[in-house]
Amino acid sequence: MDRLKQQIDFILEIDKLKGILRQSLVLEGTRRENDTEHSWHMATSAFILREYYKKEVDMERVIKMILIHDVVEILAGDTPAYGDYSAEEKYRKEVESANKTFGILPEDQKEEYITLWNEFEDMETDESKFANACDRFQGFIQNVTSDAHTWRKFSPKKSRILSRMRPVIEYMPEVYNGYIKDYLQKYIDLGVVEDDLPIKAVATDMDGTFLTQDKRITEENRESAIKTMEKGVEFIVASGRSYVSIKELVQNIPGINYFICLNGAEVYKNNRALYEASIDPEISFDILKKCQEIDLDFSATGNNKVYYSKLDLEYESIIKKEDSGINFIFDKEKKNIEKDYYQKLVFYNSPEKFKILREYVEEKYSDKVNVFESGARIMDIVSKEANKGNGLKIVARDMGIGLDEIVALGDNENDLSMLKEVVYSVAMENAKDIVKDQVRYVARSNEESGVAKFLNLFLKLD
């Protein structure tokens, strides 16, 4: 009976959580939320959002962790997430509270729940990472339903909110980028939250953006990329070009880790592929047969092979290298079309024939491929799963950052998917109007080292 008494005493003790009030408001701001409401809402969120956490977890352990994570506040009290406090003092009080409150239980259960509480705090296991993401998400939800009550009260800057949301950003990026990001930006635009520009990465297109018309990286652009990385900001290249071509262009800029290639059909981290999306071989074969019919020149890239009737300018120097690792197959008359897994099809120099091909492809395969212009008199086709925006999401997920911590720069239709995903979107002065109309900023032209001039001011590189 002593064991039962200890257990009932603990159950009676934790009833006090109903009286521990948090800073968050409930019922559209009519009163403060208490700890038991927070834990219930958080546990329900865990069940509902489970699909967005990509690792296998023991859900019973997760729910236990959620239900007991705030028990320590019975004695330690609630610490406002955006208030001024000593993290060390907060932790000391909560450890003391954990030992006293869980100490009411029989020894075996005391050890189990103290272990669970420490696991939640340490955030090292998959279960604790998921539980913490649900914790931060629930707090955000209460803020949304109360018209940003806690943000209005404590005036946190964007960087502090992102720090608080980091478990969601890292472990459930679809939830952050698909929901939280836009609400946060709403209150930045309203002036409730100060945007202190907590930039973690810069993603730039190459041709028409980082490169001049004659395909050079100016010294000013090169130096700005290096200074960006010295500032601790990742520098990402996002191009319609192949990985080999990009690496050759940026060989004098050390420290670049991420490469979004072939308009998002490939994503590399250094020399390791993070992602690859090919066009269905039957579809690419049919498209190339249509090119043959209308006599349109093309280049098809995939599996370290370039099959072409007209060589893409990006390969002019690479084809001369014996150790390029690419197999070039020339078919001037387009009579020996090869069926294969291609990541990108490129077409050249004929807007009239582009129109014919585009109408043909979009009528038959609009749900399977993306078609867009990527340069002057150049049209690209890639898999529906491949675009620069998706490539940027893959990089952001790998880095554990939000899309609203990225600056993206571009100039053409193939950059729009990337520019639309970020808050800090930049078009070059030489960009098409359709691009300029959908971005937040316009930089100087690529011929004037516009990337460098923008980053020097925006990131305060000088």
Side-chain angles (χ1 to χ4, degrees), residues 91 95 113-123:
Y91 184 67
V95 168
Y113 291 117
I114 285 181
T115 298
L116 278 171
W117 182 78
N118 280 315
E119 183 179 340
F120 179 85
E121 291 296 308
D122 293 340
M123 208 176 7

Side-chain angles (χ1 to χ4, degrees), residues 142-179:
Q142 297 311 122
N143 207 44
V144 167
T145 60
S146 62
D147 191 26
H149 166 73
T150 54
W151 293 349
R152 292 180 187 277
K153 182 175 182 178
F154 294 102
S155 301
K157 295 181 179 180
K158 180 179 178 179
S159 58
R160 187 162 185 187
I161 294 172
L162 291 177
S163 178
R164 181 72 183 164
M165 293 295 111
R166 192 61 58 188
V168 187
I169 294 170
E170 289 193 31
Y171 310 129
M172 295 196 295
E174 290 172 280
V175 174
Y176 181 81
N177 290 320
Y179 180 75

Side-chain angles (χ1 to χ4, degrees), residues 138-312:
Q138 193 277 339
F140 181 84
I141 285 292
Q142 297 311 122
N143 207 44
V144 167
T145 60
S146 62
D147 191 26
H149 166 73
T150 54
W151 293 349
R152 292 180 187 277
K153 182 175 182 178
F154 294 102
S155 301
K157 295 181 179 180
K158 180 179 178 179
S159 58
R160 187 162 185 187
I161 294 172
L162 291 177
S163 178
R164 181 72 183 164
M165 293 295 111
R166 192 61 58 188
V168 187
I169 294 170
E170 289 193 31
Y171 310 129
M172 295 196 295
E174 290 172 280
V175 174
Y176 181 81
N177 290 320
Y179 180 75
I180 295 176
K181 174 172 69 76
D182 289 343
Y183 273 98
L184 174 55
Q185 190 58 45
K186 170 186 173 181
Y187 285 99
I188 290 173
D189 293 341
L190 288 172
V192 175
V193 175
E194 179 186 341
D195 188 351
D196 53 345
L197 304 180
I199 307 301
K200 301 289 186 185
V202 170
T204 182
D205 168 52
M206 293 296 284
D207 296 85
T209 302
F210 198 57
L211 301 179
T212 60
Q213 200 65 33
D214 58 356
K215 311 305 178 187
R216 291 182 304 105
I217 297 174
T218 66
E219 183 59 22
E220 191 176 355
N221 274 352
R222 190 186 78 85
E223 287 182 0
S224 74
I226 293 171
K227 288 179 181 177
T228 295
M229 290 182 281
E230 288 175 346
K231 196 179 178 73
V233 176
E234 200 78 39
F235 195 83
I236 304 161
V237 177
S239 175
R241 290 172 175 263
S242 68
Y243 179 60
V244 173
S245 174
I246 297 170
K247 288 284 284 186
E248 182 181 52
L249 284 167
V250 300
Q251 59 185 313
N252 292 324
I253 306 177
I256 299 177
N257 297 313
Y258 290 98
F259 302 84
I260 300 169
C261 315
L262 302 175
N263 287 317
E266 292 178 343
V267 179
Y268 281 86
K269 182 178 183 180
N270 297 319
N271 293 316
R272 177 171 62 89
L274 296 179
Y275 178 79
E276 180 180 289
S278 299
I279 304 168
D280 182 283
E282 296 294 337
I283 294 175
S284 59
F285 183 74
D286 184 50
I287 292 172
L288 292 176
K289 292 289 286 184
K290 185 66 177 179
C291 287
Q292 180 188 53
E293 177 188 318
I294 62 177
D295 194 25
L296 180 62
D297 280 319
F298 67 87
S299 173
T301 301
N303 295 325
N304 296 318
K305 178 176 80 173
V306 177
Y307 168 60
Y308 66 99
S309 66
K310 177 182 175 63
L311 190 65
D312 195 315

Side-chain angles (χ1 to χ4, degrees), residues 82-119:
Y82 297 115
D84 294 325
Y85 62 89
S86 164
E88 293 79 9
E89 181 66 13
K90 174 180 180 292
Y91 184 67
R92 184 189 65 76
K93 287 182 179 179
E94 290 183 347
V95 168
E96 288 179 2
S97 177
N99 288 326
K100 287 180 181 178
T101 307
F102 293 123
I104 298 171
L105 286 164
E107 191 64 26
D108 61 322
Q109 289 183 317
K110 168 192 170 183
E111 292 302 319
E112 177 187 0
Y113 291 117
I114 285 181
T115 298
L116 278 171
W117 182 78
N118 280 315
E119 183 179 340

